[in-house]
Amino acid sequence: MNKDFAFTVKRIRFDENYRPSDNTRITTNFANLARGEQRKENLRNTLRMIDNRFNALADWDNPKGDRYAVELDIISVEMTVDAASGDSALPIIEILKTTVVDKKYGERIEGVAGNNFSSYVRDYDFSVVLKEHNRDQKEFSVPSDFGVLHGSLFKAFVNSDTYKTYFKKPPVICISVSSNKTYHRTENHHPVLGVEYVQKEHSLTDDYFSKMGMKVRYFMPPGSVAPLAFYFQGDLLGDYTNLELISTISTMDTFQKIYRPEIYNANSAAGKAYQPSLKQQDYSLTRIVYDREERSRLAAEQGKFVEENFIKPYRNILEQWSANYAL
């Protein structure tokens, strides 16, 4: 059945002139930064932070700390369930693609696809399905098929000819660690990713990403104050160059300082045993405006949108396809 599923990739540069298109997911973090009176200042400061972070990590042959710049493209993925019928496409996934600019030699170096990740169907799963499943229940639980459809859709895209046309390597997605888990520092240390942390049991998000065919490792890069969660296929340490990894770290460490300053812009670094908390008070704010409450509210609204415009109209087709999907 997946022969009728058609993926389309659209890209738009994320720079100080970026304006979200009318059909973009407005809960996307970078869209949130690009609205309001301080829109341009927000974007300019964010991009400057990313470049500074990159040069701090890529400090070899870089005496002035200004050799590199990072360019970001927002990749919007649309899917048509039945292309032959003329059905309209629905934007289902948005990721970021990095390109490293070496100003010393005038070279453009391929970066990483993934980084920030957002999805309409994930909004539906977490804001609609999970909420309804636990309504009036004494103990929290997760449906047995939670995330299966979303995982199948993601794997179908990553393994599609469309993905392979645009991107040379599998995606790496980098997000915050879970605030209800404890992470323990190990002796493993990577020159770019930094010190590795582990935890005894996966979080709900870890399990959700595993259904997307992705493994997870947690690293606290040099100069960071908390570990980041890196979701990947294959070998995170062996499949990507140092500059590729730095492009992801610099981008997502910057975004997390803006999104979750309590964790990633804290005034003290994570210790040997670390439990992140959004309630701790010892942190600094960036000068970049980000509306976290608005994002949570809009996620619920967009979860309802995808339920009405994607899940309900195509439920039987999607369920049958997902149940039989195998790679």
Side-chain angles (χ1 to χ4, degrees):
M1 294 184 64
N2 61 333
K3 65 181 178 65
D4 293 325
F5 284 24
F7 295 102
T8 303
V9 168
K10 297 180 179 179
R11 68 170 67 205
I12 183 172
R13 178 60 52 83
F14 180 71
D15 57 19
E16 65 180 51
N17 297 310
Y18 166 68
R19 290 183 181 274
S21 63
D22 292 337
N23 65 345
T24 193
R25 289 180 68 259
I26 50 178
T27 60
T28 303
N29 291 320
F30 35 81
N32 188 297
L33 296 176
R35 297 201 306 276
E37 295 180 0
Q38 295 177 275
R39 180 189 68 82
K40 202 156 191 173
E41 184 179 359
N42 269 354
L43 296 173
R44 188 181 297 120
N45 288 339
T46 299
L47 295 167
R48 186 180 297 115
M49 286 175 64
I50 292 171
D51 286 350
N52 290 342
R53 187 74 175 103
F54 189 102
N55 282 289
L57 288 168
D59 59 353
W60 60 93
D61 291 337
N62 189 6
K64 295 183 178 180
D66 61 356
R67 175 173 172 175
Y68 299 101
V70 180
E71 293 181 354
L72 297 173
D73 286 319
I74 300 169
I75 306 299
S76 298
V77 182
E78 297 182 348
M79 191 188 83
T80 305
V81 174
D82 188 354
S85 70
D87 286 354
S88 58
L90 180 76
I92 60 168
I93 293 170
E94 284 189 333
I95 57 177
L96 287 176
K97 172 68 170 59
T98 61
T99 300
V100 179
V101 179
D102 184 344
K103 293 183 285 186
K104 181 177 180 179
Y105 292 110
E107 295 179 351
R108 296 171 57 80
I109 303 164
E110 192 83 4
V112 172
N115 302 289
N116 192 92
F117 174 78
S118 58
S119 161
Y120 265 126
V121 180
R122 186 174 69 169
D123 281 346
Y124 165 73
D125 279 341
F126 280 88
S127 300
V128 178
V129 173
L130 202 58
K131 184 177 180 181
E132 290 299 320
H133 179 77
N134 285 283
R135 188 182 300 277
D136 301 323
Q137 300 299 312
K138 294 181 178 179
E139 293 185 2
F140 178 83
S141 64
V142 178
S144 58
D145 61 347
F146 185 69
V148 171
L149 171 61
H150 179 268
S152 296
L153 291 170
F154 181 82
K155 287 187 286 187
F157 169 60
V158 171
N159 287 277
S160 69
D161 291 338
T162 302
Y163 183 92
K164 294 171 185 176
T165 296
Y166 285 92
F167 312 111
K168 296 179 180 178
K169 295 183 180 182
V172 176
I173 297 167
C174 180
I175 64 175
S176 170
V177 288
S178 174
S179 59
N180 62 0
K181 300 295 181 183
T182 298
Y183 299 81
H184 298 273
R185 190 165 65 200
T186 72
E187 296 301 316
N188 190 35
H189 188 276
H190 185 271
V192 167
L193 290 168
V195 63
E196 185 167 20
Y197 279 73
V198 296
Q199 61 154 317
K200 294 182 179 180
E201 58 182 13
H202 278 182
S203 68
L204 177 59
T205 299
D206 294 340
D207 289 336
Y208 196 79
F209 274 87
S210 72
K211 292 182 174 69
M212 296 160 58
M214 307 192 85
K215 299 171 286 187
V216 64
R217 293 179 74 169
Y218 315 97
F219 285 93
M220 186 167 73
S224 296
V225 296
L228 292 159
F230 294 85
Y231 296 90
F232 60 96
Q233 299 173 353
D235 180 3
L236 177 66
L237 277 62
D239 293 345
Y240 303 90
T241 67
N242 284 345
L243 291 182
E244 287 173 332
L245 293 173
I246 292 173
S247 73
T248 289
I249 295 167
S250 60
T251 299
M252 297 314 300
D253 195 48
T254 294
F255 280 147
Q256 293 299 348
K257 287 178 180 178
I258 299 167
Y259 306 155
R260 293 192 164 188
E262 300 92 336
I263 297 174
Y264 290 97
N265 215 28
N267 294 326
S268 57
K272 292 182 178 180
Y274 175 65
Q275 182 173 7
S277 174
L278 292 172
K279 296 180 179 180
Q280 74 114 349
Q281 299 297 310
D282 186 22
Y283 65 94
S284 300
L285 290 172
T286 67
R287 297 176 59 189
I288 299 165
V289 178
Y290 175 75
D291 193 333
R292 196 157 62 190
E293 291 184 5
E294 179 193 52
R295 185 187 185 283
S296 297
R297 174 176 57 81
L298 292 175
E301 293 178 8
Q302 293 190 164
K304 286 291 187 181
F305 171 83
V306 75
E307 181 180 34
E308 295 299 324
N309 292 276
F310 184 63
I311 301 298
K312 286 183 177 180
Y314 302 108
R315 185 181 299 276
N316 292 337
I317 294 174
L318 292 169
E319 289 181 350
Q320 182 180 351
W321 170 80
S322 182
N324 290 282
Y325 183 80
L327 293 175

